[in-house]
Amino acid sequence: MKTKELCDKLGWELAFGCGDNEISGGIYCGDLLSIVMSRAPVGCLWVTIMGNVNAMAVASLTECACVVLAEGVSMDDETRAGAEKGDITVLRTDMPIFEASLAAARALGLA
Amino acid sequence: MSENTLHYHFVVSGDDFTQAGTASSAVKKTLKQLGFDPRIVRKMAISLYEGEINMVIHGGGGEIDVFIDAEQIAAVLTDHGPGIPDIDLAMQEGWSTASEQVRGLGFGAGMGLPNMKKYADELLIDSEVGKGTTVRLTVFLSGK
Ligand SMILES: Nc1ncnc2c1ncn2[C@@H]1O[C@H](COP(=O)(O)OP(=O)(O)O)[C@@H](O)[C@H]1O
Ligand SMILES: [Mg+2]
């Protein structure tokens, strides 16, 4: 499923990017960037509350399909610039990390 | 170094967290364009990113030189920061002297050096307290 389709299905906000990436690496949750860096699968949906520019760099380096900002975390201008540079799709939801991941897992047929 | 070595040079700012990762991203892009195996690209990108972040958060910035030849990709990261007093301790998973501010940005999990060791084929650290740190990361193209 493409990230845009998932976003529409769950009523989340497409906060940045085109949403054209295919989710092919499951779902990954984490906020500590070094851990995410070493463990997030390529093509995953990365659910986090770390909505800063460094997270965008990690998203780009790990090649996740998209970043989901949970808990209603918003992006500042720096983070947007980082997302643009890394060509990252960012979705937003008010849900906590667990609920967001569970909803995404159900929508993707993973749970 | 042979004639057929590609060399890339980057200056890493020591006080700009928003720029941290710029060199690693550029290297990753270049390696992709050169057609390297995605696994090789990932190994180098992850280890170089950790090294670059360490230069920014611990080393006060510095310089990165990347050399690519037929056998290997090597990155040399040089800073003139405080140095690492006990490298064995620094290598331990979870050990970190990062500040609260840095932790708030998602860094400082104490996983940087362990990740570098895990992802690079070779990690050499040369550090002198009060003088600085040089880290050399190598990824072998044939797979070691
Ligand atoms: N370039 C450096 N200059 C000075 N100290 C460093 C450098 N790189 C690493 N260190 C020291 O080693 C520790 C562990 O590094 P690392 O495993 O990357 O974890 P973290 O960066 O999350 O603290 C750091 O907290 C710091 O004390
Ligand atoms: Mg580190």
Side-chain angles (χ1 to χ4, degrees):
Chain A
M1 191 184 296
K2 291 198 191 299
T3 51
K4 172 88 172 69
E5 193 187 337
L6 180 83
C7 184
D8 291 344
K9 224 171 163 173
L10 296 174
W12 292 352
E13 177 196 337
L14 181 62
F16 198 88
C18 61
D20 209 27
N21 289 352
E22 192 70 28
I23 304 161
S24 59
I27 299 171
Y28 182 86
C29 306
D31 303 313
L32 281 174
L33 299 180
S34 282
I35 294 178
V36 175
M37 192 67 182
S38 74
R39 301 232 213 280
V42 173
C44 74
L45 192 81
W46 172 27
V47 187
T48 185
I49 52 166
M50 196 52 73
N52 64 24
V53 64
N54 305 110
M56 298 303 119
V58 168
S60 158
L61 287 162
T62 55
E63 293 180 33
C64 64
C66 87
V67 180
V68 177
L69 294 179
E71 300 279 7
V73 165
S74 54
M75 300 170 83
D76 59 16
D77 290 344
E78 241 164 52
T79 309
R80 284 177 178 281
E84 176 148 32
K85 213 156 95 187
D87 197 15
I88 314 291
T89 292
V90 182
L91 312 183
R92 260 185 87 212
T93 171
D94 287 333
M95 290 177 178
I97 290 179
F98 176 76
E99 273 82 0
S101 306
L102 184 63
R106 289 197 171 125
L108 291 168
L110 299 172
Chain B
M1 206 191 305
S2 83
E3 260 173 51
N4 299 319
T5 302
L6 292 172
H7 176 210
Y8 301 89
H9 181 77
F10 302 90
V11 175
V12 179
S13 158
D15 48 24
D16 191 352
F17 288 106
T18 68
Q19 292 301 314
T22 305
S24 320
S25 297
V27 169
K28 184 185 175 196
K29 207 167 164 187
T30 301
L31 294 178
K32 269 181 123 174
Q33 279 166 355
L34 290 170
F36 285 105
D37 184 315
R39 279 165 304 179
I40 298 269
V41 177
R42 190 171 160 89
K43 281 167 80 159
M44 197 65 214
I46 291 179
S47 45
L48 186 58
Y49 178 74
E50 294 289 4
E52 183 177 357
I53 293 299
N54 280 355
M55 290 180 93
V56 177
I57 66 180
H58 308 296
E63 296 182 22
I64 299 179
D65 288 281
V66 177
F67 304 95
I68 306 171
D69 65 26
E71 270 99 52
Q72 60 185 43
I73 306 165
V76 181
L77 301 87
T78 311
D79 70 55
H80 303 285
I84 307 175
D86 184 341
I87 292 178
D88 288 340
L89 185 61
M91 287 303 303
Q92 283 181 21
E93 286 192 10
W95 168 261
S96 175
T97 60
S99 66
E100 278 307 315
Q101 184 218 348
V102 161
R103 280 170 211 253
L105 295 170
F107 300 123
M111 294 297 293
L113 289 170
N115 275 351
M116 284 150 80
K117 190 171 171 59
K118 180 171 154 198
Y119 283 94
D121 293 320
E122 195 174 81
L123 166 65
L124 299 172
I125 303 171
D126 189 8
S127 189
E128 198 176 329
V129 173
K131 287 239 164 104
T133 303
T134 302
V135 172
R136 187 184 172 94
L137 298 162
T138 311
V139 172
F140 296 107
L141 299 177
S142 56
K144 202 179 80 167

